[in-house]
Each structure stands twice: as C-alpha cells, then as structure tokens.
C-alpha cells in the first residue's frame, strides 16, 4: 500500500473522532505485510493460503564441538606446559598435540578480559573497562559494566548457528544490581546465549562455600570443591544433550575460579609439593627460564629482568619467613595441579565418548598475569597493613596460622609478591599492570586434531583475547551475524589467526592494540609498544587510605611513558623513549585515537572513584574509608 495523507477538517470534534475510527476499522481489514523472510502464501481463507515452516537452524554436518578454557590469575611461568615448575600434565598433553601460542595477550585483569573474550571486541567498547561491580564501575559508556545487546557473545552466535551452549565456573560480567534472584536476567549468562550455566556471577568466591547459581537462580553448594562441582556439571550437560540430540555440536565455556584467591585445595594436592620450592623464588625464576628456552616459548637469548626492589633476596630471609612463604607457594602449586586434573576429567570424558577428535579447544592459561594482590607477606583473610596494621604483624599472623593456608579457613589466601614475580617469568610486573607484558602476556594453547597438522608446534604471531572469537568462527565457517534477536550488531573488532594454525611464518593480522587498567596504559603497533605505569606500587593507595587521606584525582600527565621494540626485546628490558622520541610521540597519538574510538575516556583510576564517592557523601568518613579498604583488598584488588 502506497503512503498517503488524509487531511480532513470537521466542524464537530465528535464527528471527526467517529469518522477517524471508521477509517481505522476499515484499514484494519487490510493484510499486514508478512515478514520479508516468509516464503508462504497468505490469502483471505485457508484454502487460498499456503503454509510455510522455516527449517530449524542446524550446524553443518560434522561441525566440531568448541571448548574454551580460561584459567584465572596464572602467570606465564607457572604451568609446566610453558616451562613453569608446577605440574600440569593435561595442559602439556593438549599443547604437545596442538599448538603453543607464545605471543598472546589479555587485558591485565579478569572482567575486561572475559568481556573481550566473549564478544570479540575491546573491553571499553563493550562497556567493561573496569568491572560490572557497583564499587568498581562508573557512569560512562566504557565503564558502566553492562555489555550492550549489540555486542553479541560467542554463546549467542553459536546458539543461533545450531550449537548447544553451556557455561560453568566464573562469569564475572553481570552487574551487581542484577545479580539477585529477582533479576532482571538479561545480563546473566542465560540472557547472553548460554542454554545452561552453573557457577558464580562475581569475580571471586570461596572454593567450598561458593556463591553459586544455576541458570536463573541461586543454589546451595554441596560442600565439595567448586572445581569438582563445575566439572561434574559440564560433563552432565554434555551427556544429557548428546543423549537427546546425538551428534549435535556444543560450545562449552569452562571457566574455573582457579587459581584466583582464595587459594584453597585439599592437602593431598599441596602436600605433593613439600620441599619443591625450598630454594626460593630466585631459583624458581632461573629454572623456569631455562625450561622455557628448551621448549622454545621464549627467545634463546632471553635474560631475566632484575628482581623487583620490593621483593627480598631469598638467601637473606629468615628461616621463619622461608617456611611461611614456601607454604603459600606449595598451596598455589597444588591448586593449579588440581585444576589441571579437573580439566583432565573433561578431556577424558570427551575422549571416552569419542568426541575429542572433533573438538576445537582453546586454553587461555590466565586471564591476566600473576596476581600482585597477596602483598609482600601473603594473605590469609585480609591484610591488616591496609587497615592500620603493619607488615610485621601480617607476617606473624601468617606464621601463627600457617596451618590454615590453603584450607577453608583461609578466606582470602593469596601468595606473597615474590612468588608472583617467579610465576610470571620472564616478565616484570604483574596483574593489573596493563602497561607491562607481565600484566598482559599469557600462554595460549590451541588443540584441534582435525585441523592442526603441526602437532606440538610453536606460534609466535602477536594475538589478543579479542581474536579468539573471530578465529573460532573462521575455523567453523560461521559468519559474524548482522543481527541477534533482531538487534543490529556491532562489527567484531578482533582478527582471526586461523591462517597460522598450519603456517608458522604467516604474518599476524592484528596490528594495533591498546591496553588500559586503572590508569596503567599501553599501545602496541606492529612490534613497537609505548607504555605508562600508574600507581605502580599499590601500597601507595593503601597507605593513603590507612591515613584517611584522599590522593585526589590522579594526575595522568605525570605518568612516565616508556618505549619498547617488542620484536627485539619481548620482555621490555631496554627503554628506547629517549632514543626514539618521534616514535613515542606517534604511539601516544595513536593511543589517544584508540581511546576515543573505544569509549576508553575518561581515564579512571579505581581509587579516584572510590575516594571521590567517599568525600561526596554525608556519611561517617572513617566508616566509609574502612569499607573502602575492605573493597580495595577484596574486590578492588582481587579480580
């Protein structure tokens, strides 16, 4: 029906309403235009009509299953699969029969990494530049913690292409205000494409008393370790699905809380490491680097950065210090090996059910670098140093409670900073430091029996977490959708590295990448990297809070930019800022362009937001600051 206008004038308003109503009634008999995709015939009667039923969406015959595994708070030099001294035989097996990607990057902290992974786009672009927690988000497009519907997740895309979709473990990108049984549930996992989800919505949870949900309701944990529970649930989801629809491919997002704090694991796992770390963190770094060179995951001429000045020389520590610090590391190591065991249960199930050979597996060994949040002494419940105590008091408390390390009583157990540097070998700095490879450089394993010929191969192409989704779609032959649930979709920003699966020499398609976490920032372009640290010592924040002093709004202009040629200096040992000022200026301009393009501005440091909110309230300042300290040590510093 062509558009037309009706322009009638009536002397009586009542007559106008009557005639207008008759017109609406008459036009209502006209057949509404059917959906453009409708291929049937609609007549006035059934006899004159032809029904049409669209074919249900199914994946191509023989389409592979997809499994994404993402670990939490694992440095580059922790897992034996990449030369670390912590046994992960399952990961080693996947790597030896798949590929090791040595130049893969994350965002430097958990929620932004997970948002970027699930959507294939940069974290600020999808509104998770910080977190989805109320205490760690801000009212700006890049910071509100709410992934827009126009940025569909991997689960939504694969579900719409005939896959069953399951998630277990840590989700981490549901806004706090939505995370109750009252909903709304559109930002819960089931609202983002997962047919079923079992795990927790936040960033951290107790391993024995987790804040569990299943689908759209909180459930009571059964007292077993969370990793065992999520593994059982993952296997049960797949088993039931295959029984109901044999051969239908599935997508499994396996995201354990491990090995994020609290480090809690059965003694049988940690006891296996007794005496294994008695030589200390300096010896750990040297042995790990040697292993990494043998594996070929670092350059043959690589050298270690100097020990961080905050960390003590192991040989000069007291016997009591060594005893406590070693215990923390034994627990962490046991925790990681146990996690590897649980991953092995999934792998073995797929093998025994004849599904593994047709499964594409990505293993992200860490969503960021090793955690710096265990302080210098290690943490059992919460560091008293941040709340008016002292380093000495924290150490004595840990010594007196050494038997609680790794147990359910250690509510926030995390290892000391020295072990973070050790398990981050060969990089400097750590989690949260988006300026440094130590915060963003993680191991990646790709396992795909049907698609990888170079079993055990090494790949050095630069890649980023936003590349996992487009690579997966490329391998499957699935195009990114134009719409999801009739909502027009943004372009996925990541670049596929499918072409590198069977070509070790092909150039990376990912040329430019920015990084930003809590003020620390960097920009990468074709091997060059400019970076600026911001509050590199988190104790600066704790000390200010302890004294009830506001640091004020951060002066980002005072941050010092450094310049590295990553192709020649992969672990950032030689700052070239003074030698190549023009290159530094070019990259800083590029960072500004990328920041504007990706909703990164305004630059925000989480402590600025927290302190500003405190000083803008009429509440008791001391009480608010103590609450902030708790958030800084539990939420703001343990993601």
């Amino acid at each position: 029906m062509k558009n037309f206008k009706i322009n009638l004038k009536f002397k009586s308003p009542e007559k106008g309403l009557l005639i207008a109503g008759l017109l609406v009634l008459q036009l209502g008999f006209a057949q509404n235009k059917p959906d453009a995709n409708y291929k049937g015939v609609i007549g006035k009667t059934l006899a004159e009509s032809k029904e049409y039923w669209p074919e249900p969406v199914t994946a191509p015959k023989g389409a592979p299953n997809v499994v994404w595994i993402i670990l939490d708070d694992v440095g580059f030099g922790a897992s034996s699969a990449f030369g670390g001294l912590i046994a992960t035989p399952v990961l080693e097996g996947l790597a030896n029969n798949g590929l090791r990607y040595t130049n893969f990057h994350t965002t430097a902290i958990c929620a932004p990494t997970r948002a970027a992974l699930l959507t294939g786009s940069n974290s600020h672009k999808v509104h998770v530049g910080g977190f989805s927690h109320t205490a760690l988000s801000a009212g700006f497009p890049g910071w509100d913690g709410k992934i827009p519907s126009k940025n569909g997740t991997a689960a939504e895309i694969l579900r719409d292409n005939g896959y069953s979709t399951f998630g277990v473990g840590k989700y981490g990108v549901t806004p706090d205000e939505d995370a109750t049984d009252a909903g709304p549930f559109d930002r819960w996992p089931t609202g983002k494409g997962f047919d079923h989800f079992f795990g927790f919505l936040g960033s951290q949870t107790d391993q024995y008393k987790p804040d569990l949900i299943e689908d759209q309701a909180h459930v009571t944990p059964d007292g077993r370790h969370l990793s065992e529970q999520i593994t059982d649930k993952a296997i049960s989801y797949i088993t039931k699905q295959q029984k109901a629809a044999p051969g239908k491919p599935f997508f499994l997002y396996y995201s354990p809380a491990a090995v994020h704090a609290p480090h809690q694991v059965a003694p049988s796992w940690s006891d296996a490491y007794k005496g294994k770390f008695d030589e200390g963190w300096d010896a750990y770094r040297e042995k790990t680097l040697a292993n990494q060179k043998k594996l070929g995951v670092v350059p043959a001429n690589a050298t270690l950065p100097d020990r961080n000045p905050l960390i003590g020389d192991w040989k000069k520590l007291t016997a009591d210090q060594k005893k406590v610090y070693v215990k923390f590391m034994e627990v962490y190591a046991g925790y990681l090996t146990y996690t590897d065991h649980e991953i092995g249960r999934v792998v073995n199930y797929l093998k025994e059910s004849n599904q593994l050979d047709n499964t594409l597996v990505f293993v992200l060994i860490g969503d960021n670098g090793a955690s710096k949040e265990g302080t210098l002494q290690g943490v059992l419940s919460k560091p008293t140093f941040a709340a008016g105590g002292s380093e000495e008091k924290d150490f004595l408390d840990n010594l007196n409670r050494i038997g609680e390390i790794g147990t359910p009583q250690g509510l926030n157990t995390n290892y000391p900073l020295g072990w973070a540097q050790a398990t981050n070998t060969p990089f400097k700095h750590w989690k949260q430091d988006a300026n440094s490879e130590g915060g963003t450089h993680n191991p990646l394993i790709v396992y795909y029996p049907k698609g990888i010929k170079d079993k055990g191969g090494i790949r050095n192409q630069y890649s980023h977490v936003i590349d996992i989704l487009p690579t997966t779609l490329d391998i499957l032959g699935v195009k990114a959708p134009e719409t999801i649930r009739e909502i027009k979709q943004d372009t996925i920003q990541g670049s596929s590295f499918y072409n590198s699966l069977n070509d070790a020499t092909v150039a990376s398609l990912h040329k430019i990448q920015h990084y930003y976490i809590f003020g620390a920032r960097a920009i990468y372009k074709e091997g060059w990297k400019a970076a600026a640290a911001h509050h590199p010592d988190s104790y600066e924040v704790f000390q200010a809070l302890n004294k009830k002093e506001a640091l004020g709004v951060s002066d980002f202009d005072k941050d010092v930019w450094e310049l590295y040629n990553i192709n020649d200096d992969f672990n950032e040992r030689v700052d070239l800022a003074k030698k190549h000022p023009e290159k530094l200026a070019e990259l800083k301009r590029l960072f500004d362009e990328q920041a504007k393009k990706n909703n990164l501005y305004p630059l925000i440091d989480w402590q600025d937001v927290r302190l500003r909110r405190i000083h803008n309230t009429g509440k008791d300042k001391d009480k608010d600051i103590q609450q902030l300290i708790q958030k800084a040590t539990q939420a703001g510093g343990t993601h």
Side-chain angles (χ1 to χ4, degrees), residues 441-520:
H441 202 136
N442 284 92
L444 173 69
I445 297 169
V446 181
Y447 174 86
Y448 185 33
K450 286 191 174 181
I452 295 174
K453 300 175 183 178
D454 182 22
K455 303 293 193 295
I458 299 292
R459 296 293 183 267
N460 299 316
Q461 289 89 347
Y462 179 90
S463 58
H464 187 266
V465 64
I466 63 174
D467 300 335
I468 300 294
L469 175 55
T471 302
T472 300
L473 298 182
D474 205 1
I475 293 172
L476 301 183
V478 171
K479 292 183 178 180
E482 294 183 5
T483 63
I484 293 178
R485 297 182 183 179
E486 301 183 354
I487 298 174
K488 183 175 174 55
Q489 295 293 291
D490 271 357
T491 301
I492 292 175
Q493 293 181 306
S495 302
S496 171
F497 54 84
Y498 179 31
N499 58 0
S500 69
L501 258 63
N502 289 301
D503 188 347
T505 64
V506 69
S508 171
L509 298 178
H510 198 133
K511 307 296 185 183
I512 296 172
Q513 182 59 47
H514 67 279
Y515 298 88
Y516 186 94
I517 296 294
F518 301 148

Side-chain angles (χ1 to χ4, degrees), residues 113 185 197 236 273 337 396 531-532 538 568-569:
T113 288
F185 301 106
F197 184 90
S236 72
Y273 283 96
T337 299
L396 291 174
S538 60
D568 299 332
D569 179 24

Side-chain angles (χ1 to χ4, degrees), residues 65-70 118 153-160 162-171 189-190 192-199 214-215 230-256 346 349-350 355:
N65 306 309
V66 177
V67 176
W68 285 2
I69 300 170
I70 179 170
L118 288 167
T153 69
E156 290 177 294
I157 295 170
L158 293 181
R159 181 196 58 193
D160 288 354
Y163 277 69
S164 295
T165 55
F166 311 123
V168 295
K170 175 174 173 176
Y171 192 58
T190 52
K192 289 294 184 179
F194 288 98
D195 294 332
H196 293 292
F197 184 90
F198 178 84
E214 182 162 19
D215 295 341
I230 69 167
T231 302
D232 284 353
K233 192 63 71 169
I235 292 172
S236 72
Y237 286 152
I238 299 170
T239 301
K240 291 177 182 177
Q241 179 248 18
Q242 287 296 301
K243 185 177 181 179
K248 181 179 181 180
F250 63 83
F251 168 54
L252 172 64
Y253 180 65
Y254 185 91
S255 172
V346 176
Y349 161 75
L350 294 175
Q355 299 181 79

Side-chain angles (χ1 to χ4, degrees), residues 45-92:
T45 67
L46 182 60
E48 297 172 339
S49 305
K50 181 180 179 181
E51 291 179 288
Y52 166 70
W53 298 99
E55 290 293 326
V57 176
T58 58
K61 186 176 181 180
N65 306 309
V66 177
V67 176
W68 285 2
I69 300 170
I70 179 170
L71 302 187
D72 203 318
D73 284 7
V74 187
F76 192 89
S79 164
S80 59
F82 275 71
L85 305 188
I86 303 174
T88 51
V90 175
L91 298 186
E92 282 189 62

